[in-house]
Amino acid sequence: MLNSFQIRKDCEEEAKFLQDHIQYNEKHLGKLCEVFSQYSKKVARVRDVGDEMAKAVNNYSANESVNKSLALGLQNFSNSLSSLSDYSDLLVQNLDSKIVGILCKYEEICKRSREEIKHVFEAREKEIQRKKQLSKIKDRYPRNRQVIAQAEADVLKATNELSKTVYSIEEKATAFERQKLHDLKLILLDFITLQMGYHAKAIEIFSNCYKQVENINEESDLKDFQNARGEMDLEFKKSLKKPEISLEKKGIFNQSTASFGSVRSIFSDSKKSLKKYLNETNTESSSTSNEESDTDESSHDAENMPAVTNHQDPSISAKK
């Protein structure tokens, strides 16, 4: 790369390539830093929710007094969640230190590399200006060897500075690329190792937890529930029994019953006399109505008698 600069004396394309390469890496490394940071925050959030779950399950287990095996299973499940949350916290710390921390450094590294590449363009611009100045001096003072020699020395000095700058930038660009490749490889391997370790531990914890939860005896807990319910039913039935009445209160109750009985007999006698009176009244009214109806019928028959005699047979009238 340096030889091409020295031969062609044109480092603009090379410097442009380095500049574009730095900007490209800065963009994508910054994006990787952002997404890995978000991933670490999500894992931390899962860790916090795991702690809340463990606390809720533990409270349930502590307050469970009927189902014994269920309470034990809940306690074991809560302990497993707590252990996994501890490993999640360790995972978050390793992600922040081994991955996010390294990627965040590249923001400053890329910024410094861009500034160094600018020196190449400045040195190249300085060399061009020296060459233009030498051309003007040769045109104005073609016979002044001293001025021309000084201008040529300035051009040579600018060219040497450009060469040194390009060489330095080339070395730094190579070091940057080497460090970037090493860090990215290490970051990916660390991420894979951390994930494998975390999930292997999660499998180990949940394998034991699965066996413990599987030991929950549903039939035994159901019997415990029925026994507890039976005891409560017995207490409830006892509370529903009639209270015993003392002899003194019982005598008062009998006296009140007798007094109510006498009052009832009085009302029943009056009711019978009233009923008898109503029956007699109804009998008299019915007999009166029958007599009136008989009288009406007899008067009606008397009125119809002449009409019958007027329509007798003529033979009977002739005999008369």
Side-chain angles (χ1 to χ4, degrees):
M1 187 182 295
L2 181 60
N3 293 331
S4 64
F5 276 107
Q6 291 176 347
I7 293 172
R8 293 182 289 118
K9 300 296 182 180
D10 190 4
C11 62
E12 291 182 0
E13 292 182 1
E14 190 71 20
K16 187 66 168 60
F17 168 77
L18 293 175
Q19 187 178 34
D20 293 341
H21 188 67
I22 294 297
Q23 291 177 352
Y24 168 81
N25 283 283
E26 183 181 15
K27 175 183 176 181
H28 290 283
L29 290 173
K31 186 63 177 179
L32 287 178
C33 180
E34 180 182 354
V35 295
F36 276 110
S37 178
Q38 291 178 355
Y39 181 83
S40 178
K41 291 178 181 178
K42 294 292 184 180
V43 174
R45 177 58 182 161
V46 172
R47 174 202 61 194
D48 296 338
V49 175
D51 290 335
E52 294 176 2
M53 288 176 59
K55 184 178 179 181
V57 175
N58 188 33
N59 291 336
Y60 189 179
S61 173
N63 295 322
E64 179 59 52
S65 59
V66 177
N67 306 127
K68 303 299 182 182
S69 65
L70 177 62
L72 181 60
L74 291 172
Q75 182 63 40
N76 293 329
F77 184 76
S78 175
N79 294 335
S80 298
L81 287 178
S82 298
S83 300
L84 189 62
S85 295
D86 294 338
Y87 283 99
S88 297
D89 184 65
L90 183 61
L91 175 62
V92 171
Q93 294 178 7
N94 289 327
L95 287 172
D96 291 338
S97 61
K98 294 184 177 181
I99 296 177
V100 179
I102 295 175
L103 289 173
C104 288
K105 294 178 181 179
Y106 275 89
E107 181 180 3
E108 184 63 27
I109 293 173
C110 292
K111 182 179 179 180
R112 187 170 60 251
S113 298
R114 287 201 316 270
E115 295 296 330
E116 291 173 350
I117 291 175
K118 288 181 180 179
H119 295 163
V120 176
F121 292 100
E122 292 174 357
R124 175 58 180 164
E125 186 66 25
K126 186 177 181 180
E127 183 190 24
I128 292 173
Q129 293 296 329
R130 296 298 183 187
K131 287 182 177 181
K132 289 181 179 180
Q133 188 176 4
L134 177 60
S135 298
K136 290 180 181 180
I137 290 173
K138 285 182 178 181
D139 292 338
R140 289 183 181 181
Y141 310 103
R143 297 180 181 275
N144 192 343
R145 299 300 303 172
Q146 184 178 359
V147 176
I148 292 173
Q150 183 63 37
E152 289 177 349
D154 293 338
V155 171
L156 182 60
K157 183 179 179 180
T159 302
N160 291 333
E161 289 179 358
L162 177 60
S163 299
K164 290 179 181 180
T165 304
V166 170
Y167 181 78
S168 175
I169 293 300
E170 183 184 27
E171 291 294 326
K172 291 180 179 179
T174 303
F176 169 81
E177 195 69 17
R178 183 184 294 110
Q179 186 66 32
K180 182 201 72 173
L181 294 172
H182 174 75
D183 288 342
L184 283 177
K185 180 180 178 180
L186 184 63
I187 285 171
L188 296 178
L189 290 176
D190 285 342
F191 181 80
I192 294 170
T193 304
L194 291 173
Q195 293 298 317
M196 290 174 62
Y198 172 77
H199 289 292
K201 199 65 182 179
I203 291 174
E204 178 184 353
I205 292 173
F206 281 123
S207 296
N208 295 329
C209 182
Y210 182 86
K211 296 178 182 179
Q212 294 169 349
V213 173
E214 194 176 22
N215 290 331
I216 295 176
N217 193 333
E218 301 176 20
E219 297 297 331
S220 176
D221 287 348
L222 184 59
K223 289 181 180 179
D224 293 339
F225 170 74
Q226 291 175 348
N227 293 333
R229 189 185 63 181
E231 294 176 358
M232 293 184 66
D233 288 343
L234 183 60
E235 294 178 359
F236 180 71
K237 290 178 181 179
K238 288 181 179 179
S239 65
L240 292 179
K241 286 185 176 180
K242 295 182 179 180
E244 296 181 356
I245 302 174
S246 61
L247 295 176
E248 183 179 355
K249 292 182 179 180
K250 191 172 182 180
I252 296 172
F253 178 75
N254 291 333
Q255 292 177 2
S256 61
T257 305
S259 62
F260 279 117
S262 60
V263 173
R264 188 189 305 168
S265 62
I266 294 171
F267 278 104
S268 62
D269 293 339
S270 61
K271 186 176 181 180
K272 289 179 180 179
S273 60
L274 179 61
K275 187 175 182 181
K276 183 177 180 182
Y277 173 75
L278 292 175
N279 289 332
E280 291 176 354
T281 305
N282 291 331
T283 303
E284 292 177 357
S285 61
S286 61
S287 60
T288 305
S289 61
N290 290 331
E291 291 177 357
E292 291 178 354
S293 62
D294 292 338
T295 306
D296 292 337
E297 288 178 358
S298 59
S299 61
H300 184 270
D301 292 338
E303 290 176 356
N304 292 331
M305 286 297 292
V308 174
T309 54
N310 291 331
H311 292 85
Q312 288 181 353
D313 192 356
S315 61
I316 297 174
S317 61
K319 288 180 180 180
K320 288 181 178 181

